[in-house]
Amino acid sequence: MLRRLLRRRREDPAVAVIGAGFAGIGMAVRLRKAGFDRVTLLDKAGGPGGTWWHNTYAGAEVDTPSVLYSYSWMPWKWSRTHVRQAELQAYLAAVLERFGLADKVRYNVEVKTVQWHEDRQDYTLHSGDGAEIMRAKYVVSAVGLLSDPQLPNLPGIDTFGGPLFHTAKWDSGFDPEGKRIGVVGSGSTAAQVVPTLAGQAKQVVMFQREPGWMVPKMARPYTDVERAALDSRLAQKAIRWRQIYQRDRGQLGGGVWRPGTPQNTGAEAAARGYIERSLAGRPDLIEAVTPRYPYGGKRPIITDDFYPALLLDNVKLVTEAVREVTETGVVDGAGAEHELDALVMATGFKANFLSTFDVTGRTGRSIHDYWAGDERAFLGIMVPEFPNFFIMYGPNTNGGTIVTNLELQASYIASAISRVERARASSVEVREWAADLYDRSVQKMLVGTAFQYENNYYRSESGRIATQWPDGVMIYGALTKALRGPCLRVESKLGACAPAPEKEEVATP
């Protein structure tokens, strides 16, 4: 409260947060708690939720327990152990309302460029047509890692005569009843889509390029007694910390991700047992869905419904990728033709950081040129040459309990901004030596992990692991607390009492 009162003596800095999903909304709340009121969230969607606004496909739900897939500071009376898309979107809308942030969001605004002005010590954000969206002293990217849909460039894809769409752009008017539907992809999304469509479609044909390790989700509705218990903040806190501890115990030192360790061996044995129990009596299916790579080489798929769906008469598994699309169906890699009425692309997302916009830093170089196809960032949050710019869910932060990671990142960013404002400075930037040392340390931790498997989305263009965090959330949290002071350079390039930009120039809503 004292910080807020002192800061009111001068105008708050403008902060632009790009994205209104879990990362962006959590960031806005954290900034509000730190006393910063001139926060604007920008999102290309028509409402809040980020990935949970766009992914409305049949069967969309989390594969992390609901208590963990929510903010620690805003528990919720969830309906299920693993909640579905609509309930998550409603939760995020409720967060905005509770913290008075609903009028701070500008929807249907797509940021394409973010440009630093060294003379003004602030950024200008532009849309795709070059129009200025706003100016801001600080910019936070909260667009996530897996948010830009990836549609395969298949020969003939434009010739298909029926409905064809990506799961992240689900056709709400699509009726699967009585149709022969092809599902291209075999990851987490396909594992949710296939069982749901199977209950309505005449036939579902899934094209699997490579199987993935699967583990049971054990999802179910909460009982009335359990829902009543969720009214207790103390109970939710206890459940949350128990689940974090259980996850961290397996991930400590990257154990579960390192082939040959007891944790990894045990996880793979459990996954094999799940296959054999679920598909008993079908050695053909057991052979088809058992991966040939170590557990953790690709993102494990958490599902209760997929293996049982494969046993249904109207579900067919094709262990070949799609080679080409025709007017009436597809041709698989073995040359077999499959007649279909509709095609659903469960082909994932572009695993490139900041794939939807570009940032120009103080040297005039874009962040993509700086990375040169080799994305890296200090704590996954800050990049040298890019003052006052922060990334949430950035390089080498994927894995573990993601919402907890986002809370840690939001705290770090709010602390960095507060440090600049207390010093009446104009910018904060990570020091090059700190970023290099941190990156080398993380890459050393990744050596020997299953993430090194070549056929996954974890690698950058150079082949280094750019997406994954190799340890538990507690270690990451400790680093976000410890790596502050000397790792960051706070500078005053406009004078100690330089005025902030006029409000109308910032164009906050």
Side-chain angles (χ1 to χ4, degrees), residues 89-102:
Q89 190 185 337
Y91 170 74
L92 289 172
V95 174
L96 288 172
E97 290 294 335
R98 178 173 296 185
F99 290 93
L101 293 167

Side-chain angles (χ1 to χ4, degrees), residues 291-458:
R292 272 61 171 176
Y293 57 84
Y295 183 88
K298 297 175 72 172
R299 185 183 186 276
I301 300 166
I302 306 174
T303 174
D304 296 323
D305 307 321
F306 180 71
Y307 290 149
L310 293 183
L311 297 174
L312 298 175
D313 292 337
N314 68 331
V315 175
K316 179 180 180 181
L317 176 65
V318 177
T319 57
E320 295 282 347
V322 173
R323 188 174 73 191
E324 63 178 295
V325 181
T326 68
E327 291 185 15
T328 58
V330 302
V331 179
D332 66 31
E337 297 186 17
H338 304 267
E339 291 192 0
L340 301 167
D341 302 309
L343 266 175
V344 174
M345 298 294 173
T347 48
F349 302 85
K350 298 174 184 175
N352 301 319
F353 294 95
L354 309 187
S355 65
T356 58
F357 68 94
D358 201 4
V359 187
T360 302
R362 61 174 171 79
T363 66
R365 181 161 52 161
S366 83
I367 198 165
H368 295 291
D369 287 342
Y370 176 89
W371 281 334
D374 217 6
E375 300 95 337
R376 56 200 184 280
F378 181 71
L379 292 168
I381 300 172
M382 300 180 74
V383 180
E385 296 188 16
F386 297 84
N388 295 4
F389 179 73
F390 309 93
I391 306 172
M392 301 184 74
Y393 205 166
N396 293 116
T397 63
N398 186 40
T401 53
I402 188 56
V403 177
T404 303
N405 280 354
L406 294 176
E407 287 190 29
L408 293 167
Q409 291 160 14
S411 177
Y412 188 91
I413 294 166
S415 174
I417 293 175
S418 296
R419 182 178 168 189
V420 177
E421 296 306 306
R422 285 196 304 269
R424 291 181 174 265
S426 60
S427 68
V428 60
E429 183 180 336
V430 63
R431 297 180 186 276
E432 188 85 42
W433 66 262
D436 289 345
L437 180 60
Y438 176 81
D439 183 65
R440 289 198 301 270
S441 299
V442 171
Q443 291 302 312
K444 186 175 180 179
M445 293 165 67
L446 287 162
V447 172
T449 63
F451 302 147
Q452 302 286 342
Y453 177 63
E454 61 184 21
N455 190 23
N456 58 39
Y457 66 78
Y458 303 155

